[in-house]
């Protein structure tokens, strides 16, 4: 085991098995992997097909996704491979669940990604009852994370919740605060939900995730390469996170909210504009790979 292995599990945020292997060789380990429709659309083989003018049928898209995660699956450790269902704003829990059930059979270490919406949470609630591991994605608020906790209570397997740091930063909010607030809120709970820091854009996000002792972090290959070239350093007690945007402007703090984790999951405010936008973006990227139906 490398001397500088953090307590936080490191997942590669990508859709290319060759990249996962390269990172594994570089840093000495990879605990897991997250994928999403945008990352699958960027997979080199998919890109090659698109460049030749070819567009996939939905069945071919699914087959490509399956092939990619089957290549990644044996490369990673016990944090598994997250596979995201197709969901637009009208997709029902039942439709997500049918996909989740199928995707869960693709590899032995799958986590199924559902969005932090009402329908996504309904799908997660049933999934955990059926023993399907889940990763709740597009999480931008403490309320959404509280709902994830409440909807998956009683699960035998750890549930992941993925707060998106970078996308909050992009609009001037301090995304790291959401991670911090969720961790604080979960201290009162039974620890069945693990926080997976996502939408990591730079080394500071990663180092702050380590400093907060986040259970897992999913990290783009480029950021992991930078971390490795700088000696795979871990933050010490003097680490201070600079909550600034790339222009050096201060990011707006996000206040902690007192929420009752024992409340019914439907009682939390699930709405977040970035969840909605994120779903629309994933749909657009997925559809960009598809043949238009006649
Ligand atoms: C991982 O699960 C997320 O889909 C990913 O981190 C999103 O990152 P982005 O905001 O850079 O697209």
């Amino acid at each position: 085991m490398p001397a500088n292995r953090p307590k936080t599990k490191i997942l590669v945020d990508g859709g290319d098995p060759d990249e996962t292997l390269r990172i594994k060789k570089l840093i000495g380990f990879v605990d897991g992997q997250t994928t999403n429709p945008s990352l699958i659309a960027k997979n080199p083989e998919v890109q090659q097909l698109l460049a030749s003018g070819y567009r996939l049928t939905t069945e071919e898209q699914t087959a490509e996704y399956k092939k990619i995660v089957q290549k990644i699956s044996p490369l990673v450790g016990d944090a598994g491979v997250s596979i995201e269902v197709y969901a637009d704003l009208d997709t029902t829990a039942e439709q997500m669940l049918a996909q989740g059930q199928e995707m869960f059979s693709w590899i032995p270490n799958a986590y199924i990604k559902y969005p932090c919406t009402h329908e996504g949470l309904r799908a997660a609630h049933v999934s955990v009852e059926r023993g399907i591991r889940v990763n709740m994605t597009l999480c931008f608020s403490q309320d959404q994370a509280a709902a994830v906790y409440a909807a998956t209570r009683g699960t035998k397997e750890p549930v992941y919740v993925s707060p998106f740091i970078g996308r909050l930063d992009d609009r001037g909010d301090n995304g790291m605060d959401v991670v911090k607030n969720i961790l604080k809120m979960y201290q009162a709970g039974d620890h069945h939900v693990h926080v997976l820091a996502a939408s990591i854009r730079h080394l500071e996000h990663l180092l702050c995730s380590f400093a907060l002792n986040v259970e897992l972090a999913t990290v783009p290959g480029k950021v992991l390469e930078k971390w490795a070239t700088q000696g795979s350093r871990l933050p010490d007690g003097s680490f201070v996170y600079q909550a600034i945007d790339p222009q050096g402007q201060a990011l707006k703090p996000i206040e902690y909210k007192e929420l009752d984790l024992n409340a019914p999951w439907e009682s939390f405010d699930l709405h977040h504009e970035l969840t909605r936008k994120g779903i629309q973006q994933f749909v657009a990227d997925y559809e960009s790979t598809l043949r238009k139906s006649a």
Side-chain angles (χ1 to χ4, degrees):
M1 181 159 86
N4 277 355
R5 187 157 180 167
K7 276 197 199 135
T8 300
K9 289 183 181 174
I10 295 188
L11 291 77
V12 174
D13 198 12
D16 176 9
D18 291 340
E19 178 191 54
T20 307
L21 189 57
R22 197 172 66 245
I23 298 296
K24 187 175 176 176
K25 286 182 182 156
L26 183 68
I27 67 173
F29 66 96
V30 164
D31 293 304
Q33 174 102 15
T34 56
T35 64
N36 68 36
S38 308
L39 295 168
I40 294 302
K42 283 187 200 142
N43 168 277
E45 279 181 29
V46 173
Q47 280 294 313
Q48 213 176 347
L49 281 175
L50 299 182
S52 71
Y54 191 81
R55 293 292 177 276
L56 302 150
T57 62
T58 51
E59 291 77 19
E60 286 170 337
Q61 230 279 0
T62 304
E64 278 297 325
Y65 202 170
K66 184 174 176 179
K67 195 170 77 185
I68 292 165
V69 297
Q70 285 183 335
K71 282 187 190 164
I72 295 170
S73 168
L75 302 176
V76 305
D78 64 1
V81 182
S82 292
I83 313 171
E84 187 152 346
V85 299
Y86 170 86
D88 64 21
L89 297 171
D90 299 320
T91 307
T92 64
E94 288 70 24
Q95 290 167 326
M96 291 187 209
L97 195 54
Q99 295 175 66
Q101 190 104 44
E102 160 68 15
M103 289 165 153
F104 194 66
S105 73
W106 288 354
I107 49 173
N109 51 352
Y111 275 75
I112 301 304
K113 285 173 95 178
Y114 297 116
C116 277
T117 57
H118 185 270
E119 292 306 292
L121 281 154
R122 272 210 310 126
H125 179 75
V126 179
S127 291
V128 298
E129 281 177 354
R130 295 186 185 171
I132 296 171
R133 290 177 292 269
V134 301
N135 172 358
M136 300 308 292
T137 191
L138 291 167
C139 174
F140 295 96
S141 74
Q142 209 190 309
D143 275 84
Q144 290 175 323
V148 169
Y149 180 95
T152 59
R153 206 182 282 114
T155 176
K156 288 184 191 65
E157 302 275 3
V159 163
Y160 298 163
V161 65
S162 295
F164 276 36
I165 303 163
R167 294 192 196 186
L168 282 161
D169 284 11
D170 288 345
R171 66 170 205 178
D173 294 332
N174 182 4
M176 221 60 237
D177 275 349
V178 171
V179 175
K180 211 188 296 175
N181 293 343
I182 295 170
L183 287 169
K184 182 175 170 186
M185 172 175 72
Y186 282 174
Q187 276 170 18
D190 60 11
H191 306 283
H192 77 270
V193 185
H194 295 186
V195 177
L196 197 174
S199 187
I200 286 182
R201 299 277 160 74
H202 47 68
L203 216 45
E204 289 295 298
H205 282 156
L206 182 62
L207 294 177
C208 187
S209 300
F210 292 160
L212 291 172
N213 272 324
V214 174
E215 284 99 339
L216 314 112
T218 187
V219 194
K222 280 200 172 103
V223 177
L224 288 171
E225 278 162 10
K226 195 165 180 190
W227 182 58
T229 51
Q230 296 191 8
S232 308
R233 69 191 159 99
L234 299 179
D236 59 20
S238 66
F239 175 80
V240 180
Y241 177 66
Q242 303 293 335
I244 50 171
D245 69 12
Q247 287 72 43
Q249 294 293 313
L251 295 168
K252 207 163 99 233
I254 300 174
E255 297 301 322
Y256 182 75
K257 274 173 93 171
E258 288 299 338
L259 295 174
D260 178 8
L261 290 174
N262 294 313
W265 69 264
E266 298 93 335
S267 67
F268 295 103
D269 178 10
L270 293 173
H271 176 79
H272 199 288
E273 192 44 33
L274 292 182
T275 303
R276 194 184 164 81
K277 278 194 180 155
I279 288 173
Q280 287 170 328
Q281 187 60 54
F282 284 152
V283 168
D285 289 341
Y286 170 77
E287 286 181 351
S288 72
T289 67
L290 294 185
R291 198 173 296 174
K292 300 262 179 293
S293 49

